[in-house]
Structure formats: C-alpha cells, structure tokens
Amino acid sequence: MHRLGFSVIALLAVIAAPAQGADSSQTWYFATSGDSRNCGDVIMPAIAADALKHKVAFYLHLGDLRKISAPDEDFIQEQALKGTPADLAYYESHAWDNFIEEQIKPWGATPFYVGIGNHETTPPKSRAAFVEKFHEYLDRQEIREQRLKDSREATQPKAYYHWMRDGVDFIYLDNAVGSEFEAGQMQWIKGVLDRDRTDGAIHTIVVGMHEALPESISANHSMNESPLGVETGRRVYQMLLKLQNEAHKTVYVLASHSHYFMEGIYNTPYWKANGGVLPGWIVGTAGAERYPLPPAASDAKAAKTNVYGYLIGTVNPSGEAPGTIKFKFEELNEDDIPKDVVQRFTQPFVHQCFIGNRRLAQIP
C-alpha cells in the first residue's frame, strides 16, 4: 500500500514538473545525493518521500550504491529478519537488485539518474557490469537522444552522460576507476563543453561526479588520490572555469565520496591562486557510514557530519536570473523514516543507523 502511495505521488510530481523544452524561466526542482551503502535502504526511501513533497523533476545519485566489499548492514538485517543467509557470495549476486528494489522503486515514476562510484567497480563488480545492469537508466530517452545528437556512432550507453533541460546541461562524469577521467571521456567532456560554450540556449552547466575534483577541502578523499586523477581533474576544473569566466555560463559542481555535507568545497588556497573558486558541494549523505570533517572544513561555506539528507536544487528561483540554481541541504531525522521502512527493519535497527554508522578516525 505504501509503495503504491509513493508511485501516485511520484506520478503527480512528473505531471507537475515542466516538460523538456518548457518555458526556461519557470521555477522547478531536482534532488541529488550519493553514498547510499550501509544504511541506504533505510535512508533513501526517506529521501524520496521528502523530495517528492517538493515535486522534484528528478533525482541524481552520485555513486556508491552498495558497499560490495562486504554486505551492507541493512542487507544483513533484512536477510536476518527473513531467516535467509547474508554471506558474501549471496550478497554480491543480489546487491544491485537490492538497490533497485529498495532505493530506486520508492521514487515511483520520478526519473532516477544513476551515477557510478568507486564501489561499483569493487571486484567482482566492474564498470562494464555496472553499465550492463543499469542499462535502462543510463539509456533513458533524453540521455540516448542527446548522446546520438552528439555523435551518431554513440549507440550504446556509457557510465558518463549528459542531458539538457530548460537551458541547463546536466553532466555526469565517471571517475570511479583510479580516481581519474580516462582519455576517451576527456575528449568527450571537452566536446560537450565546447558545444555548450557556443550554444545560446544553454546558460547553466551542472556537473555531477562521485569523487570531487582535485584540490578541494576534501582533497584527502578525492581525485587527488592518484596522479592521473590530479592531472585530469585539474584540466576539467580549468575547462569549467573558462566556461564560467569567458563564456559567462553559470557552473555548479556536485560530488559525494566523502560521507558528509559540505558547501564551498573549492574555497582553497590552490584554486584561489590558480584561476578562481567554482561553486561546489559534497553530499555523501544517503546512508553511508558518516566521516569526520577534514581539518580545513572551517574554510567551507557550510559543513555538517553525522547527518543524512540530500541537496535540493531550485532552478530559476523567483527574482533571480534565468539559469540560476539555489541549493539547500535538506537534513533528515529519525522521525522522517517512513513507517513501513521502520516496520520492516525494526525500530532498534533504524535507531542504530542514526546513533551509530559513523567512522571516528580521519581518512588518511
């Protein structure tokens, strides 16, 4: 009954949302977050229920769907209540089906854009396996049409993609392997941004990815983790900076990977001395083990840890220039977990997700 309610609400949200090609000055909303392993089967339905109240046009997941290297705590709890085993082999073969059932389906008819993270490439999983499993999400009509418009030869989906809506180009990048952007993707993103530069209909670029671009406040857990990550990530940052400063496009950069919320992640000495600071957020708060904030967190515009929630983007807020997006972090409390989820997982387990599920030591 509860799942049917989700679907009805989601369908109303889709009907209420402006269609592709609608008046680009209308106000509309979208939601995003990442890292939904560990307690994600508890938190993601709550994110869906709350976001759908805002009639969001879509949800973008920023990667790390399930842990893969070991069974997630919510998976173990669910299997224990069913009296079925949760050994590693069983978990590995069911983890992504679990994600679809428990974390995508609560969104009903609301479009769900799935992003790849490093845990999607943890053996025995791989980038190829991810693309195969989530083919229907990576090949949504709007993504497929845009991909073929960019290149008639691009007949098959990849883990990186983009689509356009009301003057905004939404881009998802894949830095799941080696913390880097591979050569083919670098060529692709250059082509996308070059076309955006000269397209008068595009005034805003929103770039999402799993690991933050290099030299952020979260540099210790980002593309800085590999030399090629530093090199390719800096190049993409400079492309975006040039698009903002020379083509006068509005640019926003979203990431997760670090399990906390932070706004203003590129307000660092490096970027201040090397071209400028792009607006950037980390929102790794969809259920994963929470991390301590890094030492330089005080340089951020806002930062919170030991929280769950999501970022809601308001496109074209009243009184703002077309293409402006205002982002707000929506924090969720234990009381926000849907009743049917509490009943399925038990109240003590849900409570443990809120009082526990945290890492005490800094990431080296």
Side-chain angles (χ1 to χ4, degrees):
M1 187 69 180
H2 190 76
R3 290 184 183 278
L4 178 60
F6 265 132
S7 298
V8 172
I9 293 171
L11 180 59
L12 291 174
V14 172
I15 294 171
Q20 179 73 15
D23 181 359
S24 63
S25 66
Q26 290 183 353
T27 298
W28 55 278
Y29 310 90
F30 68 91
T32 184
S33 59
D35 295 277
S36 58
R37 54 187 180 88
N38 303 109
C39 283
D41 288 357
V42 170
I43 304 303
M44 279 289 286
I47 290 177
D50 195 72
L52 291 176
K53 294 176 185 177
H54 297 280
K55 298 181 180 179
V56 294
F58 63 82
Y59 173 78
L60 171 62
H61 197 295
L62 298 169
D64 277 10
L65 318 179
R66 303 272 70 193
K67 189 175 182 179
I68 303 302
S69 58
D72 300 276
E73 289 83 347
D74 51 23
F75 187 90
I76 294 171
Q77 173 72 356
E78 185 175 36
Q79 300 311 306
L81 293 172
K82 291 179 179 178
T84 54
D87 58 85
L88 183 58
Y90 182 84
Y91 166 74
E92 288 172 346
S93 64
H94 289 79
W96 284 350
D97 289 328
N98 164 265
F99 173 80
I100 292 169
E101 182 68 26
E102 305 295 340
Q103 300 192 29
I104 295 183
K105 284 191 175 181
W107 293 88
T110 299
F112 192 106
Y113 295 92
V114 64
I116 191 170
N118 60 296
H119 280 263
E120 279 69 71
T121 64
T122 297
K125 305 299 187 184
S126 66
R127 177 184 282 132
F130 171 83
V131 172
E132 180 181 1
K133 182 66 178 182
F134 295 98
H135 186 280
E136 68 175 285
Y137 300 96
L138 300 172
D139 201 37
R140 293 181 54 87
Q141 180 179 347
E142 60 273 27
I143 296 175
R144 181 173 62 256
E145 289 179 353
Q146 184 62 54
R147 188 177 70 240
L148 291 171
K149 182 179 179 181
D150 294 343
S151 171
R152 292 182 181 179
E153 297 178 358
T155 58
Q156 295 301 314
K158 295 183 180 293
Y160 54 87
Y161 55 88
H162 77 126
W163 79 100
M164 298 178 182
R165 183 188 178 98
D166 299 339
V168 183
D169 192 359
F170 290 93
I171 304 170
Y172 191 84
L173 300 179
D174 170 8
N175 53 17
V177 178
S179 302
E180 66 179 80
F181 301 129
E182 294 183 345
Q185 185 177 191
M186 288 297 292
Q187 183 178 4
W188 176 84
I189 186 60
K190 182 181 185 303
V192 169
L193 297 181
D194 283 348
R195 289 188 292 273
D196 284 347
R197 168 184 290 273
T198 58
D199 188 344
I202 295 297
H203 38 61
T204 307
I205 291 88
V206 176
V207 184
M209 65 199 73
H210 185 62
E211 299 188 14
L213 295 170
E215 319 307 344
S216 72
I217 293 173
S218 186
N220 66 321
H221 197 56
S222 72
M223 293 185 74
N224 280 90
E225 293 180 73
S226 78
L228 276 175
V230 172
E231 177 191 342
T232 58
R234 285 178 179 175
R235 284 165 55 196
V236 167
Y237 188 103
Q238 292 290 355
M239 289 182 202
L240 295 171
L241 197 62
K242 192 172 182 180
L243 201 64
Q244 173 185 270
N245 295 343
E246 296 183 4
H248 307 294
K249 308 288 184 177
T250 304
V251 177
Y252 304 99
V253 187
L254 311 172
S256 58
H257 195 46
S258 294
H259 304 165
Y260 44 70
F261 166 71
M262 187 177 290
E263 178 181 358
I265 66 173
Y266 298 111
N267 185 36
T268 60
Y270 181 89
W271 287 120
K272 289 178 180 178
N274 288 274
V277 174
L278 288 172
W281 289 260
I282 285 175
V283 57
T285 52
E289 172 191 46
R290 280 84 58 89
Y291 292 168
L293 293 172
S298 58
D299 293 335
K301 186 174 181 180
K304 289 184 176 183
T305 191
N306 297 325
V307 294
Y308 299 118
Y310 65 99
L311 206 59
I312 186 164
T314 302
V315 185
N316 303 319
S318 177
E320 299 287 343
T324 300
I325 303 177
K326 285 191 174 180
F327 290 96
K328 180 185 177 185
F329 181 66
E330 297 285 349
E331 183 176 342
L332 299 177
N333 298 310
E334 190 170 341
D335 291 343
D336 295 314
I337 305 302
K339 290 182 180 179
D340 71 320
V341 175
V342 176
Q343 290 172 354
R344 286 180 52 234
F345 285 92
T346 75
Q347 193 279 329
F349 179 80
V350 171
H351 185 58
Q352 185 59 35
C353 284
F354 278 83
I355 65 169
N357 196 32
R358 62 183 66 180
R359 178 189 179 122
L360 299 178
Q362 285 284 344
I363 296 174

